Amino acid sequence: MQAADKLRDTKIPLNNGSGAIPALGFGTLIPDPVATKIATKAALEVGFRLLDTAERYRTEKEVGEAIQEVFKEAKVRREDVFIVTKLWNTNHRPERVKPAFEASLKKLQLEFVDLYLIHTPFAFQPGDEQDPRDVNGAVIYDKEVTLLDTWRALENLVDEGKCKAIGLSDVNLEQVKEIFDAARIKPAVVHVESHPHLPEWDLLNYCKKNGIVLQAFAALGHSMEPRLLEDPVITAIARRVDKTPAQVLLAWGIQRGTALLTTSKTPSRIKENFDVSAIPDDAVREITEGIKMRVRLNSVVETGVPGFIPKDK
Ligand SMILES: NC(=O)c1ccc[n+]([C@@H]2O[C@H](COP(=O)([O-])OP(=O)(O)OC[C@H]3O[C@@H](n4cnc5c(N)ncnc54)[C@H](OP(=O)(O)O)[C@@H]3O)[C@@H](O)[C@H]2O)c1
């Protein structure tokens, strides 16, 4: 970890010699494509150096356009930005992995990504329909492929050099252990919902012990109830340390040793969310020990169906 006043520039080393991941990242799960592109450019311009997208978000094209424009303006270089995308549930069969990955690269206009994640551990019926349902509206799963089969196909992508690191998303501790124990190339990152209402300490401790980075999404509570940004512990600390509630939450996440993601389509908030510096250790402790409420906002871990995908996606 770097010095406290450089908290926002923290980078966490990844396993397998695959570099280091910026702790503070910008997510691109934004419903409107125009807003996605504007927000992505704004995020790079204020200083974010990690962008998170996914086949499922349908934002790869806009993220690709935004980064290419910023690169052309010579404001940022490719090697300075850590780019993450994800394999969707309908592409878990090993023979579908490379085509899906290459389609993502093409949309992103990139030669390689820094991190490729399996978006969820649930395999859906293979095909172009991202959310396959039967006549009763139930998800159609694919029982012919295991998570380990898909992982092996991701390992091959690393061997080919088009993807520097691989990881898992929306998994529980048992699933991480299963893949970690069997993997030839270990997961570098585990990407899950996490914030003071869902701290995931057991998972974080396992990850730290095994050299895996836990990357938290919904770090600000995804603007959902109960509003984390209005939690009295957070707002009191924010007043005391003269920061905004969002800045307090982001500092807590980095200071407890996770990477994290935040998203905003609002320019002032994008700037605010990058303007993060350390909070005192007693404030970190107060959040950890003082917030007792436990809430999972995104039920994706139960079915593979993302709770956060806006209806028009
Ligand atoms: N793997 C998965 O299943 C999964 C699921 C969900 C998300 N993710 C990833 O994680 C990223 C982050 O997740 P998230 O969208 O839940 O993040 P979040 O930062 O917790 O929530 C974003 C929401 O908070 C608002 N917000 C942002 N900054 C704020 C601030 N300073 N003050 C007040 N409100 C603020 C935004 O509003 P405005 O936009 O209106 O400003 C937006 O409604 C996503 O973009 C995506 O890349 C992954």
Side-chain angles (χ1 to χ4, degrees):
M1 295 275 172
Q2 302 183 357
D5 60 347
K6 293 280 185 195
L7 194 74
R8 68 188 189 181
D9 300 323
T10 302
K11 284 189 174 187
I12 312 174
L14 294 174
N15 59 22
N16 299 306
S18 45
I21 184 169
L24 186 56
F26 187 78
T28 64
L29 179 51
I30 299 172
D32 174 61
V34 175
T36 304
K37 186 170 164 185
I38 294 171
T40 304
K41 279 188 83 172
L44 287 172
E45 282 164 5
V46 303
F48 279 96
R49 290 294 176 265
L50 183 146
L51 298 174
D52 178 79
T53 182
E55 180 188 352
R56 177 64 175 131
Y57 303 164
R58 298 198 173 109
T59 56
E60 289 169 315
K61 181 172 161 287
E62 288 72 27
V63 172
E65 288 169 2
I67 51 185
Q68 292 308 327
E69 285 178 22
V70 175
F71 292 164
K72 279 198 193 99
E73 291 158 14
K75 291 180 178 161
V76 182
R77 297 169 308 169
R78 169 67 184 97
E79 56 269 38
D80 299 327
V81 189
F82 191 103
I83 298 171
V84 188
T85 193
K86 312 185 192 80
L87 177 81
W88 184 237
N89 302 358
T90 46
N91 288 319
H92 275 211
R93 292 205 177 182
E95 67 276 14
R96 293 182 69 87
V97 170
K98 192 170 173 189
F101 173 75
E102 286 179 341
S104 290
L105 275 190
K106 193 169 171 206
K107 279 182 254 170
L108 286 163
Q109 304 181 50
L110 294 175
E111 298 288 314
F112 70 94
V113 291
D114 298 274
L115 173 66
Y116 196 44
L117 300 171
I118 301 179
H119 201 144
T120 87
F122 298 90
F124 287 1
Q125 172 182 271
D128 293 336
E129 172 52 57
Q130 286 194 340
D131 190 9
R133 302 285 177 135
D134 66 18
V135 286
N136 300 315
V139 173
I140 308 173
Y141 293 97
D142 181 2
K143 307 268 189 257
E144 304 297 314
V145 59
T146 66
L147 187 58
L148 186 58
D149 296 334
T150 310
W151 186 259
R152 297 277 184 236
L154 263 74
E155 291 178 328
N156 293 340
L157 295 177
V158 178
D159 293 340
E160 289 175 24
K162 294 251 167 180
C163 156
K164 303 225 161 153
I166 49 179
L168 298 163
S169 164
D170 295 324
V171 275
N172 60 35
L173 180 53
E174 290 316 306
Q175 290 158 329
V176 178
K177 283 183 180 167
E178 181 204 323
I179 298 300
F180 186 86
D181 290 345
R184 175 170 63 82
I185 299 176
K186 304 295 179 196
V189 172
V190 165
H191 165 119
V192 290
E193 177 184 341
S194 191
H195 41 70
H197 289 163
L198 190 65
E200 297 281 21
W201 287 110
D202 289 348
L203 184 57
L204 177 58
N205 290 336
Y206 176 86
C207 286
K208 283 185 177 172
K209 206 168 117 212
N210 290 289
I212 303 170
V213 175
L214 189 152
Q215 187 189 45
F217 72 77
L220 303 181
H222 198 73
S223 288
M224 284 168 78
E225 298 290 342
R227 295 213 171 237
L228 198 48
L229 288 165
E230 291 166 20
D231 184 287
V233 173
I234 301 296
T235 53
I237 292 172
R239 276 194 299 275
R240 200 165 79 221
V241 301
D242 195 22
K243 295 179 192 294
T244 68
Q247 290 165 338
V248 169
L249 283 165
L250 296 172
W252 176 80
I254 301 173
Q255 287 176 248
R256 79 185 181 116
T258 73
L260 44 74
L261 291 169
T262 178
T263 299
S264 177
K265 55 186 177 328
T266 314
S268 59
R269 287 175 173 171
I270 296 172
K271 200 162 177 291
E272 172 189 338
N273 294 350
F274 188 68
D275 189 14
V276 172
S277 54
I279 55 173
D281 289 344
D282 63 352
V284 173
R285 215 168 24 249
E286 204 180 320
I287 296 170
T288 302
E289 292 170 6
I291 299 184
K292 309 274 189 219
M293 183 184 290
R294 293 293 174 259
V295 181
R296 182 183 291 283
L297 299 166
N298 192 330
S299 58
V300 59
V301 292
E302 289 154 21
T303 60
V305 178
F308 287 0
I309 298 286
K311 294 239 178 328
D312 59 347
K313 284 265 155 179

